[in-house]
Amino acid sequence: MRLLILLLLFALSFSQRVKVLYSNGKVEVVDTRKTPLSVLRTRPDVIYVEPPIKLELLDDIAYSSSVAIRGSGNYSFSINTQSGQRLSILAGGASVSFSGSCSGSSINNLTYTDGTLNLSVYSSFDWRLIVQSFGKNLQLSDISTTAYYIGTGAVNTGRTGRNVIIGVIDTGIDWCHPAFRRSDGSSKILYYYVPETNTEYTKTQIEQFISQGRCDGDYHGHGTHVAGIASYIAPDADLIVVRIDEIDLFDTYIIQGLQYLRNKKNSLGKPMVVNMSLGTHFGPHDGTGMLDRAIANLSGNGFVVVAAAGNEGDKKLYAKVSGISSTVSVRLSSPDPEGNVIDG
């Protein structure tokens, strides 16, 4: 706890934008160059001031390329594989051994030939496996036990997203990519916004960039990937993209981006669903964190925020110490290079 407090105080000393929780439950991002911390601390309606917290990009799991398998105790099953296929198996609450038509030393990265992969799960409790397939789509008939596609299968419902806006908060978008162009050549992207610099590009400007061959809307690629999946599922939906570079992926910018999208939803008069394929291990994860509160404040009829749950359900990320009657020492063997070590 002492380490966390020191980190927060250090961040507060150097942050230009902080999150402020008011007595009415609202969360706001405040620029301390305009409203100093000394002023905020004297306001009776200010409950809490928190520095920016950096989030991480989270991987996408595409429908029909990934399945979930649930079970309890020890269990064995098989998967029919194809040449050139690669599987990554995330094992939550269990250990897994494998044999058969594969090469590789870890279940996180196995390459296959035509044949059968045999898997044995060992656990004293309930467990869940997520099997991600690359190179070839998984079919439920390839698996010898009951499995479920991850995703809603929305692409198969016949709904196209017409008159709906998809908001994407991510690393940007490659507006030149054909996935984001309509049949008449016009762009699906209505606006592109950068909270850090308060820069906004309109659809007209984006189409000018495309005609000029200027395709610098996403240097990372993660945002283009995420927006591409959304546009595939809802090909008639419009897009509004909030770009936050990976090195600046702070929740203060995310909250500003959410407020921007909410304002656009109101001014355009169309329903909007916002995708955030990102997350963090900081905070209580019970709805009382500052970002959680901001999302709750902004959400409502016609404005839905969808945030990723994480990619690390198979990893041991949390620890609990109970019955403390004296000083307890905790040894950290491999701290996160970002400094996200302890929160508690």
Side-chain angles (χ1 to χ4, degrees):
M1 176 64 77
R2 182 178 299 175
L3 174 59
L4 176 62
I5 293 173
L6 290 174
L7 289 172
L8 293 178
L9 291 174
F10 178 81
L12 277 170
S13 301
F14 292 94
S15 299
Q16 294 180 339
R17 292 178 175 87
V18 295
K19 294 158 293 181
V20 179
L21 174 63
Y22 296 99
S23 56
N24 62 2
K26 299 295 184 182
V27 173
E28 181 184 30
V29 175
V30 174
D31 190 334
T32 56
R33 293 170 298 182
K34 299 176 181 178
T35 307
L37 286 172
S38 57
V39 174
L40 288 173
R41 291 183 179 122
T42 62
R43 289 183 50 173
D45 60 334
V46 172
I47 301 298
Y48 181 59
V49 178
E50 184 177 83
I53 292 175
K54 190 171 183 180
L55 282 74
E56 299 177 355
L57 300 172
L58 299 180
D59 297 336
D60 307 297
I61 298 180
Y63 171 76
S64 84
S65 293
S66 304
V67 300
I69 302 167
R70 298 177 180 272
S72 180
N74 299 335
Y75 189 72
S76 297
F77 63 96
S78 63
I79 301 176
N80 295 329
T81 61
Q82 303 176 55
S83 180
Q85 186 176 23
R86 184 170 65 85
L87 295 182
S88 176
I89 301 173
L90 307 178
S95 60
V96 179
S97 65
F98 59 91
S99 63
S101 56
C102 62
S103 60
S105 58
S106 168
I107 61 170
N108 293 326
N109 189 5
L110 296 173
T111 303
Y112 296 88
T113 58
D114 291 338
T116 302
L117 170 69
N118 301 302
L119 292 164
S120 295
V121 183
Y122 305 95
S123 177
S124 301
F125 308 97
D126 293 341
W127 48 264
R128 182 182 71 161
L129 299 188
I130 295 177
V131 182
Q132 295 178 263
S133 177
F134 306 88
K136 304 286 184 181
N137 280 347
L138 277 173
Q139 304 296 324
L140 297 184
S141 58
D142 292 331
I143 304 170
S144 67
T145 190
T146 302
Y148 306 90
Y149 282 131
I150 294 180
T152 63
V155 72
N156 301 319
T157 65
R159 301 181 184 274
T160 66
R162 186 179 300 276
N163 295 320
V164 174
I165 299 171
I166 299 174
V168 178
I169 300 180
D170 216 287
T171 61
I173 190 170
D174 178 3
W175 47 57
C176 295
H177 196 288
F180 312 119
R181 308 282 291 279
R182 302 199 183 280
S183 57
D184 62 359
S186 62
S187 177
K188 297 181 182 181
I189 306 167
L190 301 181
Y191 295 95
Y192 177 98
Y193 177 64
V194 183
E196 184 179 9
T197 59
N198 198 31
T199 301
E200 179 188 76
Y201 296 142
T202 65
K203 178 178 178 178
T204 299
Q205 290 173 299
I206 290 168
E207 290 178 342
Q208 288 175 346
F209 296 153
I210 294 171
S211 65
Q212 297 165 1
R214 175 181 166 184
C215 306
D216 57 353
D218 182 9
Y219 290 112
H220 186 282
H222 189 274
T224 299
H225 185 183
V226 168
I229 293 173
S231 193
Y232 172 72
I233 292 174
D236 291 336
D238 294 315
L239 297 169
I240 299 180
V241 177
V242 174
R243 171 181 175 168
I244 306 174
D245 288 336
E246 185 182 15
I247 60 173
D248 295 318
L249 201 62
F250 294 105
D251 56 0
T252 44
Y253 291 139
I254 293 166
I255 294 172
Q256 288 180 273
L258 285 167
Q259 184 64 67
Y260 170 85
L261 291 171
R262 177 71 200 209
N263 292 341
K264 287 298 183 187
K265 180 265 178 205
N266 293 342
S267 63
L268 295 171
K270 290 185 176 182
M272 181 184 295
V273 57
V274 180
N275 183 85
M276 303 196 313
S277 294
L278 40 85
T280 178
H281 296 307
F282 268 115
H285 290 75
D286 62 358
T288 62
M290 298 286 260
L291 179 57
D292 298 340
R293 289 176 182 268
I295 292 173
N297 290 341
L298 293 169
S299 298
N301 187 28
F303 189 82
V304 178
V305 179
V306 181
N311 300 139
E312 299 165 311
D314 61 323
K315 295 180 173 61
K316 298 178 180 179
L317 298 171
Y318 302 99
K320 180 179 179 181
V321 179
S322 58
I324 298 176
S325 59
S326 60
T327 301
V328 174
S329 298
V330 179
R331 184 172 180 268
L332 303 175
S333 59
S334 56
D336 186 328
E338 295 290 345
N340 301 335
V341 179
I342 297 178
D343 182 24

